[in-house]
Amino acid sequence: MPLRTHLALFTAGLAAATCLTSAGPAQAHDTRHACSPAVSIDGYSDALDKTTFENTYVGNFSALAMEGDGSLAALSDRSSLFRLDARTLKPRSVVPLADENGSALDSEGLVVDLPHSRLRSSGGTPIGTYLVSSETEPSIRHYSRTGRLLDRLPVPDALRVSPAGRAQPNGTFEGLTLLPGGRTLLASMEYALSGDDSTIVRFQTWRRTADGHFTLGAQYAYRKDPGLGVPEVQSTPDGRLLVLERGFTSGVGNTVRLYLADPRGATDTSGIETLPARPEARLIRKTLLTDLVTCPSLGATAKQPQPNPLLDNIEAMTITGRTKNTLKVLLASDDNENKTQTTRFYALRVRTTAQR
C-alpha cells in the first residue's frame, strides 16, 4: 500500500475512531491550521493516554516507525515495542525487548528494516526486523519481529557514557533513522560530548555490508539551539533530515522545534577529538521549519503549565507519507507515566522546498 494511502487511512480513521481533534477540514497549510509557512497541523489524539494493553502500560513513547504492512510501530523507552493500528491507534501487539543478559533497555530510537533482500511473507508483505537504540551505554541492537536479539552494532569509544567515553548519561542515541536506499544508518546524540561545544551534538552513521551487518561510517556535527536537545531525527526521501529539538523549563513548559537539516557537504568529524576544533569544519546546515508553540491549540488541554496547551514532551517522529514537496509527519509525546503529562499524537504536514 503506498505511503500516502497509509496516511489517508490514518487521518480518516483516527478522526472517526479516536476523536483526533481538528479545527476544521484537514487541508495542507490551511491558515486555520498553520504553525508556520512550512508546517500545518491536521489534528491530535489523546486516545492512548494512561491506557494499558496486555498488562503493559501504553505510553513512554520514544520512537515511531511505519511497518511494511501499513501498521505503526511505537517504541516505549521501558523496553516494549507496540504495533498499533495506523487508522485507530489501537494496539495490536506488544513485544518485550531485552539486552544480551535479559535486562530491559532504555530504548529510544527505532528503525523498521525492510531491505530488498528480506524474505517476504506469503501475502507479499516485506518481513521487517527492528534496529533499536538504547541510550544507557549507548548501543544499537538488531531484533527479529518476535524480539529475538540478532546483532549489536559497534559504537565509537568517545560516544560511550562516561567514564567509558565522553557522553553524559541520558544524553546519547535518542534518534535513529535509515537513509534512502537502506545502506546507511544514522543515530543522533541528544546532548554534546564532554569537551565539545555544548551546542554541538554528533550524528554517527553506519554502512551496511554485503552480509547485512553494519560497520562504522562517517560522523557529522550538528549545532542545536542553546538549552535544547535532539530527541529524534528522520530521513526525508531526498536524503535530508527532519530534526526535532526539545527542552523543558519548570513552570513554563516544553519548547519543541522542527528543523530541516542537510548532512551532505558536512565534514566527517569522526577524527576530530573536540568540536569545534577546526574553523574549516563544516557543520550540518539546518533551517527552522516551525516552533510548535505557534501551532493552533485546537482545543487541547495541558496538565501542567505550557506556553501552548497543545504541547507536551514530544519525543517520537516518523514520516507516514508524502506528496511532491509535502511530508506527512506523525509525532508522539512521552508521558513518562507521569500524571502531569499526556500521551499525545500529532498529525502534521511539512512542506519542504525542492533541492537546489
Side-chain angles (χ1 to χ4, degrees):
M1 185 182 294
L3 284 177
R4 52 180 169 268
T5 304
H6 291 161
L7 186 70
L9 290 172
F10 167 78
T11 303
L14 201 57
T18 63
C19 300
L20 185 146
T21 306
S22 176
Q27 300 174 4
H29 309 293
D30 187 317
T31 57
R32 293 170 295 176
H33 298 151
C35 305
S36 71
V39 178
S40 63
I41 181 167
D42 285 341
Y44 72 94
S45 174
D46 297 347
L48 296 184
D49 188 42
K50 307 302 182 285
T51 61
T52 59
F53 175 75
E54 295 184 354
N55 298 315
T56 303
Y57 185 84
V58 181
N60 302 301
F61 290 132
S62 58
L64 301 171
M66 293 300 295
E67 294 270 17
D69 64 359
S71 61
L72 183 67
L75 182 68
S76 162
D77 63 17
R78 308 300 170 90
S79 209
S80 295
L81 179 60
F82 293 87
R83 288 183 67 220
L84 308 179
D85 187 298
R87 296 195 305 166
T88 67
L89 295 182
K90 183 178 180 180
R92 292 180 177 178
S93 64
V94 60
V95 174
L97 302 176
D99 66 13
E100 295 80 359
N101 300 315
S103 300
L105 312 175
D106 182 357
S107 40
E108 297 292 344
L110 173 67
V111 164
V112 175
D113 190 20
L114 296 169
H116 297 298
S117 60
R118 188 76 67 209
L119 294 176
R120 293 173 178 265
S121 67
S122 58
T125 301
I127 300 173
T129 56
Y130 302 107
L131 292 159
V132 176
S133 67
S134 170
E135 66 175 354
T136 303
E137 309 95 339
S139 64
I140 298 176
R141 294 179 175 87
H142 197 179
Y143 292 91
S144 73
R145 289 185 67 82
T146 60
R148 180 171 61 89
L149 182 59
L150 302 175
D151 196 10
R152 181 168 174 170
L153 278 59
V155 174
D157 289 341
L159 302 189
R160 299 184 186 279
V161 171
S162 177
R166 294 166 46 210
Q168 57 182 292
N170 200 38
T172 61
F173 291 160
E174 284 266 347
L176 193 66
T177 190
L178 201 59
L179 301 187
R183 306 293 306 176
T184 302
L185 182 72
L186 182 146
S188 56
M189 298 287 284
E190 184 175 17
Y191 297 117
L193 298 181
S194 173
D196 284 354
D197 184 303
S198 64
T199 65
I200 296 178
V201 297
R202 300 191 186 224
F203 288 5
Q204 177 66 45
T205 69
W206 292 258
R207 295 287 295 170
R208 194 193 299 269
T209 60
D211 61 3
H213 296 284
F214 285 90
T215 186
L216 288 172
Q219 185 184 102
Y220 306 105
Y222 174 89
R223 189 180 297 278
K224 64 183 183 63
D225 293 351
L228 303 184
V230 178
E232 187 59 283
V233 60
Q234 284 291 302
S235 175
T236 67
D238 63 13
R240 292 178 291 176
L241 301 169
L242 291 181
V243 180
L244 200 63
E245 297 191 22
R246 173 205 58 184
F248 177 78
T249 302
S250 180
V252 177
N254 289 100
T255 299
V256 184
R257 294 173 185 155
L258 183 62
Y259 283 91
L260 182 64
D262 194 344
R264 296 165 301 185
T267 300
D268 181 354
T269 59
S270 57
I272 302 177
E273 184 174 357
T274 58
L275 294 171
R278 292 176 8 205
E280 69 274 16
R282 298 181 302 277
L283 275 61
I284 294 173
R285 302 189 306 273
K286 73 175 190 179
T287 301
L288 179 66
L289 293 171
T290 194
D291 186 322
L292 269 68
V293 74
T294 63
C295 293
S297 66
L298 304 182
T301 59
K303 301 174 185 177
Q304 62 180 329
Q306 289 286 359
N308 179 335
L310 185 70
L311 293 177
D312 211 285
N313 182 36
I314 299 173
E315 188 167 321
M317 173 172 62
T318 190
I319 297 171
T320 59
R322 65 185 173 100
T323 57
K324 183 177 181 181
N325 286 322
T326 300
L327 301 175
K328 299 170 184 180
V329 176
L330 185 65
L331 308 178
S333 61
D334 175 0
D335 74 334
N336 292 303
E337 294 189 44
N338 188 324
K339 65 181 181 181
T340 66
Q341 294 177 287
T342 302
T343 297
R344 178 170 289 168
F345 286 75
Y346 308 77
L348 304 181
R349 301 189 188 215
V350 178
R351 184 165 56 199
T352 59
T353 57
Q355 294 185 76
R356 295 177 182 176

